[in-house]
Amino acid sequence: MTLWHGRFAEQTNSDAFALNASIGFDRRMAEQDVRGSTAWVDALAQAGVLNLQEQTLISGGLQAIFEEFQSQTFTFAPGDEDIHSAVERRLGEIIGPVAGKLHTGRSRNDQVATDFRLWLLDHLPNLANALSDLQSAFIERAENDMDTLMPGYTHLQRAQPILLSHWWLSHFWPLQRDQARLADLTKRTAVMPLGSGALAGVPYPIDRGALADALGFAWPSPNSLDAVSDRDFAVEMLFSAALIGTHLSKLAENMVIFTSAEFGFFDLDDAYSTGSSLMPQKKNPDPFELTRSKAGTLLGTLTGLMATLKGLPSTYDKDLQEDKVPVFNAYDTLMAMLPVLAGALRTLTVKRVRMEAAIDAGMMATDMADYLVGRGIPFREAHALTGQAVRQALEKGKSLDAFSLAEFQAIHPSFDEDVYTVFDAQVSVARRESLGGTAPKAVKVQIQQAKEILQTQQSCRNQVKPYPRIKLLGENYVEHNLPRMRRRI
Amino acid sequence: MTLWHGRFAEQTNSDAFALNASIGFDRRMAEQDVRGSTAWVDALAQAGVLNLQEQTLISGGLQAIFEEFQSQTFTFAPGDEDIHSAVERRLGEIIGPVAGKLHTGRSRNDQVATDFRLWLLDHLPNLANALSDLQSAFIERAENDMDTLMPGYTHLQRAQPILLSHWWLSHFWPLQRDQARLADLTKRTAVMPLGSGALAGVPYPIDRGALADALGFAWPSPNSLDAVSDRDFAVEMLFSAALIGTHLSKLAENMVIFTSAEFGFFDLDDAYSTGSSLMPQKKNPDPFELTRSKAGTLLGTLTGLMATLKGLPSTYDKDLQEDKVPVFNAYDTLMAMLPVLAGALRTLTVKRVRMEAAIDAGMMATDMADYLVGRGIPFREAHALTGQAVRQALEKGKSLDAFSLAEFQAIHPSFDEDVYTVFDAQVSVARRESLGGTAPKAVKVQIQQAKEILQTQQSCRNQVKPYPRIKLLGENYVEHNLPRMRRRI
Amino acid sequence: MTLWHGRFAEQTNSDAFALNASIGFDRRMAEQDVRGSTAWVDALAQAGVLNLQEQTLISGGLQAIFEEFQSQTFTFAPGDEDIHSAVERRLGEIIGPVAGKLHTGRSRNDQVATDFRLWLLDHLPNLANALSDLQSAFIERAENDMDTLMPGYTHLQRAQPILLSHWWLSHFWPLQRDQARLADLTKRTAVMPLGSGALAGVPYPIDRGALADALGFAWPSPNSLDAVSDRDFAVEMLFSAALIGTHLSKLAENMVIFTSAEFGFFDLDDAYSTGSSLMPQKKNPDPFELTRSKAGTLLGTLTGLMATLKGLPSTYDKDLQEDKVPVFNAYDTLMAMLPVLAGALRTLTVKRVRMEAAIDAGMMATDMADYLVGRGIPFREAHALTGQAVRQALEKGKSLDAFSLAEFQAIHPSFDEDVYTVFDAQVSVARRESLGGTAPKAVKVQIQQAKEILQTQQSCRNQVKPYPRIKLLGENYVEHNLPRMRRRI
Amino acid sequence: MTLWHGRFAEQTNSDAFALNASIGFDRRMAEQDVRGSTAWVDALAQAGVLNLQEQTLISGGLQAIFEEFQSQTFTFAPGDEDIHSAVERRLGEIIGPVAGKLHTGRSRNDQVATDFRLWLLDHLPNLANALSDLQSAFIERAENDMDTLMPGYTHLQRAQPILLSHWWLSHFWPLQRDQARLADLTKRTAVMPLGSGALAGVPYPIDRGALADALGFAWPSPNSLDAVSDRDFAVEMLFSAALIGTHLSKLAENMVIFTSAEFGFFDLDDAYSTGSSLMPQKKNPDPFELTRSKAGTLLGTLTGLMATLKGLPSTYDKDLQEDKVPVFNAYDTLMAMLPVLAGALRTLTVKRVRMEAAIDAGMMATDMADYLVGRGIPFREAHALTGQAVRQALEKGKSLDAFSLAEFQAIHPSFDEDVYTVFDAQVSVARRESLGGTAPKAVKVQIQQAKEILQTQQSCRNQVKPYPRIKLLGENYVEHNLPRMRRRI
């Protein structure tokens, strides 16, 4: 029996019931629902709507239900259209008619928005931790691979030599921006809709500030009409997830290319590769291909929910029920991918010889131009002169560093014996020691900076008590998630 | 044990295995997989790769597996990474080592593309039938409601009176375009990848034309590299589904607005409405709101898969595994919505008095301008004069049809006693009898046309044998799905 | 002549040049480009790469170009492939070969990312101001319309009476969340890529901290490879814009519905409506329909850029050039819409009589259930009893408040003479005085809170100096944009 | 002065006018607008609404305007809110008040939908031709490069050797599916809305079948309400464009990878590459990167319009004005890309030695397994045995073809002297001669088939007269665009 049967002369059509029911997915918020109801009972009691006996009875019943969920002994009934109905039904079975007092002053509209925000606040830290672990993997690789040079690419064409460690860290920072976005999202999720009723507010003297404290929210919502319809937090979560996916897709694309036979820069561990049903020699970078593909799917979930929200009229519309599946899917997708990526990175083999062999003299053309700049030639002219040298090299089929001094001087008389030093990739790399550059000196600073950020974040997260967790978040957590950028080396 | 363990020294990491495994969703293609394998066995035998005994043994084993799937007694093993592995494993359990001959000359790359196309070819008719049933509901309503006038809206502002039947039919034609798109999609799905191997083709003398016939495909694919990576059919299915969703969202938006207290044009049956957990008086049009919302979700699945495909390099990449869940979801979503919509439409009550009361004299302003046109005044001037009358009506707070003849003649001397006839909505409607217009005469032609289309489609679908079904589709089905538009009434 | 002609034996094909050129849209960053170059010249001089004379000469030339842009006398040449090339070409024309020293140590990769961020930092305040003005319009309306009751809706069905002021404010808070998102975006945009070179960093001793200060950035980027490819800020801007669009589409949808003849709650000013070329009586809410539609387009720009970024390999790829048009378009779209919306809201007429007439007794059914709750009946039972009353009212065709006491008591003996007070909408509204509720008392607090937020934001923005503006942003601005929620009334 | 000023007491606000005006983009349909109006005038005359003199006068005026557009002497006025207003204004200037008769029985709602469809029908052939030219380029390359072997990849890992010609053709077929989709789209675009009025149909005896013939449409629309709101053709065009974009992005991704130094399979002509402002040696595949990126943008335009259409109520809403810019943009984008791609492909250099050197013995592992199959070993066992050989090869650091016969026989006694033949890539390729396979024999058939399709398409297009063009399309064109697949070699 639904919560709203009174006014209706007829049962819901079974197909319509199936379309309408959300129990298939909102059961995932069972614990949050019970927690929210328990706090609501206390707030009703404090407001004088329930007496102590009723409060005790209902709270006890909710506690029993909570334990049933935890022990997975809760049984759903065919008529449970959603988790709220299921809990209220079961409460009635346990404690009798007084269960009917639980929903006083409350609507499923504010209840479901509260549950969903609680669920997200419970799970965002898991996502942040999984991201941190992947960030740690990049730092570990950067520390391990400090001695390895590799070709840096733009347009997938060889550009300039860089440190492999620098490249690993280039994947750290996007994820750090994602951490900051998740922290910002947390702020905006930590607003409590409960006490907004169906749309107009609650007609009992509920202390919503205290209720927010009890549930671990930072603030009660300021407008009841907005509160029951605001799904910004869900959209923002999907955006954050899609952007994380985009960042991981860049890593993935690189790994697919770098593990190809032609590049051959990395060898994945067998535990993180798969084979072919037909071709016995194949070893495929499936985890990275799946990571790349799921960036598309994550973008689809974002697009889908935003399109759903577009053009809805004010307050609660049933359309909003379409909010949960994409958020759950996005969360599950990232939580499945992140540990696999961390594992694959930690276990891969760097094929240093292949990497360094791929650095050709042409990649030091910019250094050659800078050499001429050092001799007073304007950069633009130096660039053109070096470009001519490159063209000659292509035509002659010889490497730039194989040019004779005479050949260099034919291009420009400023060239001298010391021109050959510019073709040393180690030297090239070491010269870029400005903040954020690829020189070992700068990369070591970068590693230090990255480690500090992770540690601060972690210690901040560790301080957070389960509930009330959000007040802390509001005050310190966010700031610690700001990028802690250095201004000087 | 995977199909490809030979080359690998180490087991797959369990997280990576879970990320990689598709058995969670591709088991849905179990019957198609067995059917494809059975045809492949026959093709191998015909090509002399298998002898009669092997063919019989393997076919028998596959038949046994098919029956296990049908009776739901098939048991998946923890190591089954996909439906293909599961079937080959089980085949080995039933018939022993000869099972190892099944995969000769075949790859999971061509196999999965074949299975997926077969699945779609099996299920598209269900979707077309569900659409047809909803189209029938519109025709039924149009036939029932021929006597009812309603306000037609543009910009949601009252525009001109129309027949309710005409409005019902305005939802028939978009779905008919969707039928045509599904037929076009069917053509492009009916291309068989099997026999493309992993990418390069098959080194045995397989008769791919005969194989296509056996499986009910119209044609074998013309290029093996393309065949294993082509997911156009999946994308096109998602596009068709998203556009169906968009069409249904228009119906839904109207129904939400038209069942509001302020419009009050329709009363939904209790069986297709729901109530509120808080507000006892509420009766909500949930099925239509959910329909509207799912248009967003369907768009998201399309966007997601297209983003996934963007930028993939040639032939099979693991990214392609992300193709099935969105197609299955889109299919399930539409199959859940369509019957509910048809039911809700068939059972609703038209509140004719409310509808007709909403037609005010201002809605005949165009007829009034046409009246002046009939007296030789250029339409643009007639429009301006009528606009002035409307402005005066607003200022005077009186309806246009309450103007005295003197008031009309003050606007323009051409007005005569017979001006009052233009405010009869029945007359206004009846004048629009050109093809596609709202006059009863034109709407009856339209109903006839719609019924003929549905009948032709249905009889064509009934002629289609299970297999080989596609040859027929190729020849007749498509043409019958062309919009059968009239050129004259 | 391109900046890179040296190495090439052949001219670019003209179609390829046209496809490649970005001058059509990146000219919009002309001033930012010159500003960035000027700071770069100073940094080169400080690093000893340029002498005082060269610095003065180049700076002077850049200043001249800046003035040409401001006076719109700058002439683009056919060969200018982008704004950077155009400026460097013109600089050469003005100051001769020393212009060739400008690009020392710099690449268009870090330059364009710097320009684009500067452009956004310059323009985000305009967007925030336009949002603030619309927020002010909501506050003004809320203050003006404090005495007006309206029906509140869920599922577009009449739900409970609310204050019109409360409804106006329900559109204020989503925009306030958007303000917070723009502030968060500002933080992440205020990171300077300049000094990252093409990808590997700069080989000259540039003080990037000082350079960031000079340009008004908060921090220099920490990793050069990331810096030249990071487009998170562009994506996040598009997300913020799309979510603003979604919020505005909710307002728009309501306005379209509420200005329909059937609702008739608002009358738009003629200055913000349009008519029909055919139907003289029409007055259409076009600005709101366009607002609703542009939410879709804004979502498309977000989706487009994210799909573009998906799967790109490391550092700069030419694909990134596709980042600017969507950001410019999204900015222009919002800047065109926001003032029109503010104007339309400020000038519309509230049709109070229509609004209040739309509040029927059934909307107080929840109050009736609460009445029973007050008599000790559990809410769930009270809901069912009231539901029965509603059903009887429908069957009898009479309003709930027209029931006789005997009729009420037949439903439940607890009903008493005072039951009729629950049907007073003013009383119903006034009871919801909890924080965020619709009671006048609560709404006045809400107005006060909203005004304080806007004022704080505005005064904070006023303190911001043109350059260096971002340091302030980093320290104070962000916090002031946190939702300043109340915890108690 | 707008077409609808009569009813309004006040001028439109200038910001609102600017937001509302579509003249900025719909002027692109100027010729279609005039053509549509000319046919409308004839239809009005035939229906007796205009007399011969009026018809002649208006037609003459329209002809004059048409010539002004063609000679680019037409001047837009500040008050022209759209192309329809501009033409009607200008007509009045030329022929006086009788111009006011043009709009009789017509609305901008049916007019704009007609113009837009005409525009698309005019321009789709250009798109099809540009696609055909790119398809021709693939055929030319396939014919030129018949002798070149290359490694085929799955998962970007070397898989099996293939013919380069086969690879070129793998890009032909997706475009052929696109051609078929464009033909299907043409069918659905060739439906004429004109004569639907604002929404309700036309009250004059217009022969819409004849009008459709005159304008080159295949059918008049069957329902006026649907006709003014149907934008399926625009959405379907954007979908087709986005899928073309996706196909081209696959080509682009390959070209970016294959022109990297590490692969080195192709050398782009200087005319289709660009350089770096900083790094003198760089030669970048910009046209392909831009192609890849624009696939994202095209997807965004599709998503945007579908989101815009989602949830709109019946008949014309102003939201529909957002339909044109994305279609124009998508068309322009493809028309800019396609010739550049064709040019780049025709001029690139195949580096055959690099390609063939990249085929290693491991790529013949499947042939080795097939060798064992030929000796009676079940494929699955043969696969495992070969996998072991591959693992040994990796451990020993030697190539498979360097194994001694003893080493082979240690793996399985069936190996014989002739095992070494399997490592001949030419033999491997030649064995895959089934339909669609990579053997030269099969590829030649494929080339023949592709050429026939292009020729048939072209000759069909050539038969099409400007107007009435669509009837032909309805009858023959579509069928010629069905994939003309072979069933046998």
Side-chain angles (χ1 to χ4, degrees), chain A residues 153 204 213 218 315 370 487, chain C residues 88 153 204 213 218 315 370 487:
Chain A
Y153 298 82
Y204 301 102
D213 287 346
T315 98
D370 280 325
R487 304 182 63 78
Chain C
E88 192 173 326
Y153 298 82
Y204 300 102
D213 287 346
T315 98
D370 280 326
R487 302 182 65 78

Side-chain angles (χ1 to χ4, degrees), chain A residues 179-296:
Chain A
Q179 294 276 15
R181 269 181 287 268
L182 291 180
D184 290 338
L185 161 63
T186 302
K187 290 184 309 202
R188 283 184 281 271
T189 307
V191 174
M192 182 191 70
L194 199 60
S196 298
L199 75 157
V202 58
Y204 301 102
I206 300 290
D207 181 343
R208 294 186 67 227
L211 183 58
D213 287 346
L215 282 168
F217 282 104
W219 306 278
S221 58
N223 180 297
S224 61
L225 304 171
D226 175 43
V228 296
S229 68
D230 170 18
R231 292 299 185 273
D232 285 11
F233 64 98
V235 173
E236 199 168 338
M237 185 277 177
L238 294 179
F239 170 66
S240 302
L243 196 42
I244 292 170
T246 305
H247 293 149
L248 298 178
S249 81
K250 179 185 286 278
L251 169 70
E253 171 80 355
N254 280 299
M255 296 307 293
V256 168
I257 292 172
F258 288 176
T259 59
S260 68
E262 287 71 14
F263 278 80
F265 289 175
F266 298 125
D267 199 4
L268 295 185
D269 194 85
D270 278 9
Y272 291 95
S273 323
T274 57
S276 158
S277 70
L278 177 66
M279 299 175 290
Q281 90 283 9
K282 288 300 295 293
K283 180 175 163 183
N284 298 323
D286 292 45
F288 292 104
E289 295 176 282
L290 288 167
T291 295
R292 185 173 57 184
S293 70
K294 285 174 194 295

